[in-house]
Amino acid sequence: MVDIFLCSTNFYKDLFIQSGFPSEKIVVMPHYVRQLPYVSAKDKSGEYALFVGRLDPEKGVETLLEAWRLLKIPLKIRGDGQLTLQAKQFVELHHLNHVEFVGRLSEEELSDLINKARFLIVPSGGYYETFGMVIVEAYSKGVPVVASNLGVTSEIVSDKYTGLLFESGNPRDLADKAAWMWDHTTEADTMGRNGLEFFENYYTDKRCYHTLIKVYDELIESR
């Protein structure tokens, strides 16, 4: 009885087809974010690495913290969840003075926090992200991304073009990729600009609006 299924990525489209959904009934329409003002790459302060998300096991929090035991890069963590207390205890136990937990923020404050990051970290492990909205938010501000090569993130993050991919669940690999991104500011700025272009081509409200209207028009015509 369903004419069209809307799916956020090609990764999930393929999974649904493998599960028996008819390919001709699936239309890929990514989620979008409303673009807030961003600072151009040449003006970015790039003061820290940034994690934004739930502090839950499937988000790769343990991988993130273990990686930061190997680094001296300033890291800001915005989020809370099941592992909030454990994460703070880990930071205190290992004297990770370069790791800071950030409290709840307004939309504008969160936008500014992302804006001033050198790069965003998405260390998810153990399960597939449904989409990865925070990646698109970073792209909208010209911020590159270091992400695990798991599921949908490897579709949204183009390795060595809009960011870097590391082996999911591997703290050493994450530390190596984060250190490279921190030390290579010119390349990081280029990846940030590529991410912004990627955002403008695929993840704006206007782009998604046109995709949705096209679906509606085709459904109406088919009736």
Side-chain angles (χ1 to χ4, degrees), residues 33-39 44-45 48 50 52 78 102-117 120 134 136-143:
V33 298
R34 181 170 59 92
Q35 186 178 27
L36 296 174
Y38 66 91
V39 180
K44 281 187 175 297
S45 52
Y48 45 80
L50 176 65
V52 177
R78 162 75 283 274
V102 180
R104 289 194 175 277
L105 302 171
S106 67
E107 183 180 13
E108 291 76 16
E109 289 170 334
L110 180 59
S111 175
D112 187 60
L113 184 72
I114 297 173
N115 229 349
K116 292 178 179 177
L120 178 79
V134 69
V136 178
E137 291 181 41
Y139 285 169
S140 75
K141 299 165 180 59
V143 174

Side-chain angles (χ1 to χ4, degrees), residues 64-182:
L64 174 67
L65 293 176
E66 287 290 350
W68 246 256
R69 289 182 63 186
L70 308 173
L71 298 167
K72 293 300 182 183
I73 297 171
L75 169 67
K76 291 183 183 289
I77 296 176
R78 162 75 283 274
D80 49 39
Q82 302 173 47
L83 300 180
T84 299
L85 179 59
Q86 294 93 317
K88 291 182 177 180
Q89 289 175 338
F90 184 97
V91 166
E92 183 177 354
L93 175 65
H94 296 285
H95 308 291
L96 304 183
N97 299 324
H98 52 302
V99 177
E100 175 187 353
F101 291 89
V102 180
R104 289 194 175 277
L105 302 171
S106 67
E107 183 180 13
E108 291 76 16
E109 289 170 334
L110 180 59
S111 175
D112 187 60
L113 184 72
I114 297 173
N115 229 349
K116 292 178 179 177
R118 179 92 48 104
F119 57 90
L120 178 79
I121 308 160
V122 182
S124 301
Y127 91 121
Y128 297 143
E129 291 281 357
T130 53
F131 183 71
M133 287 292 288
V134 69
I135 297 175
V136 178
E137 291 181 41
Y139 285 169
S140 75
K141 299 165 180 59
V143 174
V145 179
V146 176
S148 60
N149 60 349
L150 179 69
V152 71
T153 54
S154 59
E155 177 179 336
I156 300 177
V157 178
S158 180
D159 193 35
K160 300 182 179 66
Y161 187 73
T162 63
L164 296 175
L165 295 174
F166 72 92
E167 182 184 359
S168 178
N170 187 332
R172 168 59 70 179
D173 196 29
L174 170 54
D176 289 344
K177 299 297 170 57
W180 189 95
M181 188 74 83
W182 185 261

Side-chain angles (χ1 to χ4, degrees), residues 21-41:
F21 284 69
S23 61
E24 68 276 8
K25 286 191 174 187
I26 301 177
V27 174
V28 175
M29 189 185 82
H31 298 303
Y32 67 89
V33 298
R34 181 170 59 92
Q35 186 178 27
L36 296 174
Y38 66 91
V39 180
S40 65

